[in-house]
Amino acid sequence: MSDPAILPDEAHPQGEFRARHALLKRLADVVSLPASRINAFERAVVGDLLVEMLSLATTEDRKRVAQRLAPLSELPNALARMLLRDDPEIAGLLIENCASLSDADLAACARDTGREHRLLLADRRGISEVVTETIMSFGESDVIEAVLRNRTARLGQSAIEGVVSLSRHNVMLCEHLLRRPELRPSAAYVMFWWCGPGDRRTILQRFAVSREVMQEVSEDIFAIAADEGWQDPVSRKALQFIERRQRNRAAIERSPYGGLEQAIAAAAEIGLNREVAAEISYLSGVKPLTGAKILGDAGGEPLAILCKATGLTKGDLAALWRSMKRPEVTAKGEVSPAWERVQVTYDMLAVDRAQTVLRYWNWSLSSALTPALLRAIRDGDDEMQNEYSPSERAAMLALADNFGR
């Protein structure tokens, strides 16, 4: 029986199932009607019928329906769920163009589908923190990079911290992370240890912040703490981070070398051994573990930060460089690229900003190292760290390689 209402352009491409094709189009049109023509319950019932039909329809039919429904401001939930889990070319029509999809719809799509769907979701405009965290939770590097490149995507701090952790083994993520406005100094300082030279420079330029405001508001509190005999460990630790003086006066008085410059001169003469390295650390106002991390860094930039923060000259920096048997020139007689980079790092930083970086490292690499955290680092147990402590997280990441992970 022929239906004169079915126009030629509504016919199935293969000339089959003209009724199915026409009905799918009409039902999609009904779902698209404004609220003044159809209420929410009616729309839901039509959507349920479409779901039943589409489950048996061809890919081309499903694609046509998805194209018709993508611009809608209200889409039946069952229909949205089905189409979002369809082939990427069909789901992508909604992911890219349907503004009415909720965070719950998008997060469920990320969880219930595969990598191709997550790549499409990563490029969607304006995805929220809930969605980006779900997308990135699978640890797929290309998906994570796509999210980081999406300038309209919003990232929560837990997602940022997760990517910082991944970047330790995938340094290509560092470049994208450093462009994110959500990245904070606590994460950038710990990333410094495994970043390349260019990214290290970016970190210092962007995140080596001054403590001038903190020093101004707490200036009178130093006298109060001194009157109390520095007995409060909470205020003492914070004031040690804020104060302008970097060198450890008590260590200087006890030192057999008489001062930091003399210890470095001795290291340049006899070579840098464990005892001298520990003494240099104490005199610099940092713990030996922090000093060992700085002195053992392959790139050398942390050495420049240590020297600038403690008021050492470039001559002292050169002496310390030589004590470590690091080359100043290449076989061709040119300045070693590493040594040149270290000198540039020294020149680019103000003392106060270098101190901020150095003190954060010392805070995170030593103060946070409880016995339980040390066991966690050795055992590779990320669950044992305090998820709310930036210093513990930094220590877990920065020192992992030093404990054989």
Side-chain angles (χ1 to χ4, degrees):
M1 177 178 174
S2 62
D3 184 349
I6 299 177
L7 301 176
D9 64 347
E10 291 178 316
H12 190 275
Q14 284 77 36
E16 299 175 356
F17 307 124
R18 297 170 60 214
R20 177 198 295 181
H21 176 57
L23 186 56
L24 284 170
K25 182 179 184 303
R26 303 294 172 78
L27 291 177
D29 289 341
V30 172
V31 169
S32 306
L33 289 173
S36 60
R37 295 283 307 279
I38 183 173
N39 64 42
F41 293 158
E42 291 172 322
R43 197 188 309 273
V45 170
V46 177
D48 290 342
L49 183 55
L50 267 175
V51 168
E52 291 298 317
M53 292 188 67
L54 289 174
S55 65
L56 300 172
T58 64
T59 299
E60 193 60 33
D61 283 333
R62 300 196 307 277
K63 188 174 181 179
R64 285 198 189 93
V65 171
Q67 287 173 325
R68 179 71 180 90
L69 300 181
L72 295 186
S73 59
E74 186 177 347
L75 192 61
N77 291 335
L79 195 53
R81 285 197 302 271
M82 178 185 187
L83 292 173
L84 284 172
R85 288 157 180 75
D86 210 321
D87 296 338
E89 63 174 320
I90 296 171
L93 295 169
L94 265 65
I95 292 171
E96 294 170 11
N97 304 306
C98 187
S100 65
L101 295 174
S102 68
D103 286 351
D105 293 329
L106 298 171
C109 176
R111 287 193 300 267
D112 299 342
T113 56
R115 177 181 148 278
E116 291 184 66
H117 286 74
R118 288 189 283 273
L119 275 171
L120 292 168
L121 288 163
D123 289 328
R124 179 180 166 89
R125 184 170 183 80
I127 46 178
S128 72
E129 294 87 346
V130 172
V131 178
T132 54
E133 185 164 357
T134 305
I135 295 171
M136 300 165 81
S137 66
F138 291 84
E140 298 156 328
S141 295
D142 53 349
V143 175
I144 292 172
E145 286 185 25
V147 173
L148 296 176
R149 287 195 302 266
N150 185 345
R151 311 311 288 174
T152 68
R154 302 193 304 275
L155 277 69
Q157 284 305 301
S158 59
I160 286 288
E161 289 172 0
V163 182
V164 169
S165 181
L166 289 173
S167 72
R168 188 161 63 92
H169 300 294
N170 184 359
V171 293
M172 295 299 293
L173 293 174
C174 295
E175 177 185 356
H176 302 295
L177 267 170
L178 290 173
R179 294 196 181 105
R180 295 300 313 187
E182 300 92 345
L183 188 67
R184 293 293 177 262
S186 60
Y189 293 157
V190 72
M191 279 173 56
F192 187 93
W193 294 110
W194 54 81
C195 279
D199 290 338
R200 284 184 164 189
R201 184 183 180 92
T202 299
I203 289 171
L204 295 177
Q205 288 174 331
R206 182 178 172 191
F207 295 101
V209 298
S210 170
R211 291 164 295 122
E212 184 177 351
V213 174
M214 288 188 285
Q215 289 163 353
E216 289 176 358
V217 301
S218 60
E219 188 172 1
D220 60 322
I221 299 176
F222 284 91
I224 298 173
D227 289 341
E228 295 174 348
W230 301 97
Q231 294 181 7
D232 175 26
V234 177
S235 61
R236 184 175 68 245
K237 181 178 177 181
L239 289 172
Q240 285 172 344
F241 182 86
I242 296 171
E243 69 171 330
R244 291 180 172 86
R245 186 181 68 248
Q246 177 62 48
R247 299 193 192 189
N248 186 333
R249 291 181 181 176
I252 293 172
E253 293 175 359
R254 295 191 303 267
S255 175
Y257 299 100
L260 181 56
E261 287 84 356
Q262 291 81 357
I264 290 174
E269 183 178 347
I270 66 175
L272 188 67
N273 56 42
R274 180 175 296 181
E275 290 74 20
V276 178
E279 191 66 25
I280 289 172
S281 301
Y282 284 128
L283 293 168
S284 300
V286 298
K287 299 293 179 62
L289 185 60
T290 308
K293 184 73 176 174
I294 291 170
L295 296 170
D297 182 81
E301 293 94 339
L303 201 64
I305 294 169
L306 174 71
C307 290
K308 195 58 173 278
T310 53
L312 292 168
T313 66
K314 289 185 78 171
D316 297 320
L317 173 61
L320 192 53
W321 186 259
R322 294 185 195 110
S323 75
M324 301 165 63
K325 304 296 190 291
R326 300 281 186 97
E328 296 177 61
V329 295
T330 65
K332 297 181 179 179
E334 300 171 345
V335 177
S336 165
W339 173 232
E340 183 176 16
R341 190 169 61 244
V342 168
Q343 294 180 88
V344 169
T345 301
Y346 178 92
D347 290 334
M348 69 181 281
L349 278 178
V351 172
D352 182 50
R353 295 173 188 268
Q355 287 178 352
T356 300
V357 179
L358 181 61
R359 292 181 189 188
Y360 182 85
W361 284 342
N362 192 53
W363 169 46
S364 63
L365 298 184
S366 57
S367 299
L369 287 181
T370 62
L373 185 60
L374 280 171
R375 286 196 303 273
I377 294 172
R378 292 191 186 99
D379 298 340
D381 184 2
D382 293 337
E383 296 301 320
M384 289 183 66
Q385 64 177 304
N386 179 355
E387 63 178 317
Y388 299 110
S389 170
S391 61
E392 289 198 10
R393 184 172 187 84
M396 176 72 78
L397 293 172
L399 294 175
D401 291 335
N402 299 77
F403 287 90
R405 282 185 64 182

